[in-house]
Amino acid sequence: MENDLQAIVTQAEAILKTVTSRAEWEQTKATILGPNGSLTQAAKGIGRLSKEDRPAFGQSLNRTKKELEEVFKSSLLSI
């Protein structure tokens, strides 16, 4: 699941390189961080993990979310 989280970051970075408008940026952000976004879907998978693995995954999820927020914040400056 850790690889899935890193893949989401990589995907966001790749998409954001092609974004040329604020509307596209907003759409991309919703696709990744929104209620039905990639990160949210990954978070829902925590229930399939053992009780022992959940805390570590939760920490990874939080780090990934912060990383994505920084990626989006910095990409907004270039639009």
Side-chain angles (χ1 to χ4, degrees), residues 29-53:
K29 187 174 182 184
T31 301
I32 303 293
L33 295 172
N36 295 317
S38 305
L39 189 64
T40 306
Q41 295 306 313
K44 290 179 181 179
I46 200 168
R48 294 188 302 255
L49 297 175
S50 67
K51 287 183 180 181
E52 296 80 23
D53 293 337

Side-chain angles (χ1 to χ4, degrees), residues 12 15-16 19 22-35 37-38 68-69 72-73 76:
I15 293 171
L16 287 170
V19 168
R22 178 69 184 238
E24 284 181 282
W25 183 88
E26 292 286 347
Q27 179 62 39
T28 302
K29 187 174 182 184
T31 301
I32 303 293
L33 295 172
S38 305
L68 282 167
E69 288 171 348
F72 277 98
K73 184 178 176 181
L76 186 57

